[in-house]
Amino acid sequence: MRRRFDERAVRSAERRAREDAAPRLIAAVPNLESLQINVREHRAGNTVADATYVRRVVVLHAPAMFIVPCGEPSCRDDHDLTSSLMPGLRNGATQLEGEDDCRGTVGSSPCQRVLRWTAIAAYRP
Ligand SMILES: [Zn+2]
């Protein structure tokens, strides 16, 4: 347990460092007013969601980088939504969605989590 906790702490510290080094979201999309990402995670082949949550992005301070850690506790992979989200936001899209299979592993097996996300954005006129 201790080791797992340490790995997760290191992982989130690394993620924060990458986010801190990234350009700011407001610099990339200056008229963005609000952004909310709805996340739904489930195992492949299973339609019942294991986890759903809403991530509200603090537009003024957020990095132009969207990394969601895999919800499987022993999986070390992240879902990087940046390249799926940023082009749409730059084009003023108000709703974006996507799906990302986890490429991590749990023990010696592939992690079978699938992350589905919907982003809702609002812009200043
Ligand atoms: Zn995973």
Side-chain angles (χ1 to χ4, degrees):
M1 277 316 277
R2 177 81 200 150
R3 184 172 142 78
R4 177 184 295 177
F5 174 78
D6 286 344
E7 280 177 6
R8 286 180 78 81
V10 166
R11 213 174 82 177
S12 64
E14 284 171 355
R15 191 169 57 243
R16 270 197 300 276
R18 274 187 288 160
E19 288 175 347
D20 287 348
R24 298 295 94 182
L25 181 56
I26 200 72
V29 191
N31 63 336
L32 185 64
E33 191 169 52
S34 68
L35 177 63
Q36 170 181 320
I37 305 172
N38 302 314
V39 175
R40 190 171 179 278
E41 259 193 69
H42 63 97
R43 278 169 233 276
N46 188 346
T47 50
V48 179
D50 285 321
T52 56
Y53 55 93
V54 175
R55 182 164 157 179
R56 277 174 230 286
V57 177
V58 183
V59 172
L60 281 178
H61 305 290
M65 186 178 219
F66 303 95
I67 296 171
V68 179
C70 179
E72 168 58 51
S74 52
C75 175
R76 300 173 62 183
D77 205 28
D78 293 324
H79 298 276
D80 190 343
L81 311 183
T82 310
S83 60
S84 308
L85 266 169
M86 285 310 294
L89 294 178
R90 285 202 181 92
N91 288 333
T94 53
Q95 186 162 345
L96 293 154
E97 56 183 32
E99 187 175 302
D100 196 34
D101 294 342
C102 185
R103 284 170 293 275
T105 52
V106 176
S108 53
S109 330
C111 174
Q112 302 228 295
R113 293 255 181 166
V114 180
L115 183 137
R116 286 210 180 108
W117 56 269
T118 311
I120 316 252
Y123 303 85
R124 271 187 297 275

